[in-house]
Amino acid sequence: MSAEPVGTPGTESPDPMEVVRTRGYTVLLIMVAILGVPISAAAFGFLALVHELQSLTYEDLPRGLGFDGTPSWWPVPLLAVAGLLTGLTIRHLPGLGGHRPAEGLVNTGPPTAAELPGITLAALTSLGLGAVLGPEAPLITLGGGLAVYAVRLVKPGIKPGGRVLVAAAGSFAAVSALLGSPLLGAFLLMEASGIAGTMLGVALVPGLLASGIGSLIFIGLGSWTGLGTYSLTLPHVPHTGQPGFAEFGWAVALGVAAALLGTGIKQLSLYLQERVERRRVAATAGTGVIVGALALLYAESTGEDASEVLYSGQDALGGLLSDNAAYSAGTLLVLVACKALAYCASLSSFRGGPIFPAMFVGAAGGLALSHLPGLDVTSGFAMGVGAMCVAMLKLPMTSVLLATLLLGSEGITVMPLVIVSVVVSYVLVLRLERPVAVPRTAPR
């Protein structure tokens, strides 16, 4: 991912604030501000390309072949191709396609220049052809790698501490607007990378600067191109009243359910990952067929669109909440089951990030439970998102913010419920999880 935590042994100075007063730190801020422009533009281009690939393969291509629409079976062969291409990329190009999403938002340091093409291609074939993963992890990796590569071209002898800050700032710029707020993206990276203590302020300022610049670039390019910002937004949030005892009971129940489901997804994905890596190309194509078959099963059993099981779920979250009345409890439960299994298979084989599918599965589960007495739609949605995110990421503060900031004023109302569900899920996950040996078998 981005870079080693600034606060790790060997990187802290006796007085970290002395760093801020140096001329080198000022130069670093200027460098970060300059780098934030091309890196955020590259991230915007990456997201635009993913979106165009999704439209081309799932909408334009079926029509070009004479179909009236996209057949419900279409994801099966297409995801087999996605698995084949991703597997070949991981096997033959440097970098193994980036970090393994089944292992969460791990901190592996910025990639080398030689690894960037393979990471980009693996992410494009995974995300563009329908794997159930998000773009945040590839963006974080690519942003950090591009930033370090650019700085090394200008200043080959940059010190390790400076390289860490530059890589982190590049990652900040790349995901600045993806989660709907540059502050939320910055918070995610700080909590995921373990930046803490007295070094927090030193690392935070360059990152926030890059994040702010990146967000402005996203907004400007989105307006100029007419493509939008590819930012997570919820256009219509139903009103909710002040929480009562019933809602707090549901917060505990949702936290427990999310912990059990999230632990199951993670453990199964790691189990499958070990077996996929023994026969990388064939096994990745096989898991692609499984993901496509799950989308077909959902479409045929509910009459809904197969695309709801595919992709990260980022673009579908707003519609899921605003059109919740169109989904029966049974349909939502089938959606949760199919999406969770497709998510698990994608985590084990493809390349992408774990955040948005976790949000979608949690949201759909919360909405399904809102059909029962004592739980309203918005509260169920928010608690499901928060509890499932912390179950998959083990980042409690980020999970609370993800579930509440996107809801606007309603998020403030449901925040106490979200906190309870997140804490219950987080504590239970820590009790349930058992260390799983993750092999590093070279793909064949």
Side-chain angles (χ1 to χ4, degrees), residues 172-415:
F172 274 65
V175 297
S176 55
L178 185 64
L179 298 175
S181 164
L183 184 60
L184 184 50
F187 201 99
L188 165 70
L189 286 171
M190 286 187 292
E191 192 173 20
S193 64
I195 297 174
T198 55
M199 289 302 296
L200 174 59
V202 177
L204 177 60
V205 175
L208 285 178
L209 177 60
S211 187
I213 291 173
S215 184
L216 291 174
I217 296 298
F218 265 65
I219 293 171
L221 287 175
S223 176
W224 179 57
T225 62
L227 297 174
T229 62
Y230 303 107
S231 175
L232 178 61
T233 56
L234 300 178
H236 175 68
V237 179
H239 176 70
T240 182
Q242 294 296 322
F245 288 109
E247 285 84 358
F248 277 100
W250 276 115
V252 174
L254 269 165
V256 172
L260 295 173
L261 179 58
T263 301
I265 290 173
K266 285 189 290 185
Q267 297 296 317
L268 181 57
S269 65
L270 288 169
Y271 174 83
L272 292 174
Q273 176 182 273
E274 179 182 351
R275 282 139 187 85
V276 166
E277 291 188 346
R278 295 173 185 171
R279 295 289 186 272
R280 166 57 65 184
V281 178
T284 306
T287 55
V289 171
I290 292 172
V291 173
L294 288 165
L296 172 61
L297 174 63
Y298 171 73
E300 292 298 315
S301 61
T302 65
E304 301 290 341
D305 198 321
S307 64
E308 293 181 2
V309 171
L310 305 175
Y311 312 125
S312 68
Q314 173 188 353
D315 295 334
L317 271 173
L320 186 68
L321 178 59
S322 59
D323 299 332
N324 66 88
Y327 295 87
S328 67
T331 297
L332 288 169
L333 289 175
V334 174
L335 177 57
V336 169
C338 291
K339 187 84 171 183
L341 289 172
Y343 179 31
C344 181
S346 298
L347 285 169
S348 71
S349 309
F350 289 92
R351 292 296 185 257
I355 296 177
F356 291 115
M359 294 179 68
F360 189 92
V361 170
L367 291 177
L369 292 177
S370 71
H371 286 263
L372 298 174
L375 181 63
D376 65 87
V377 167
T378 301
S379 297
F381 180 94
M383 288 189 291
V385 168
M388 198 60 176
C389 280
V390 80
M392 295 302 301
L393 305 176
K394 291 193 287 190
L395 304 176
M397 293 296 292
T398 297
S399 299
V400 170
L401 294 177
L402 277 170
T404 55
L405 289 186
L406 297 175
L407 298 177
S409 60
E410 303 301 329
I412 303 299
T413 303
V414 300
M415 185 175 285

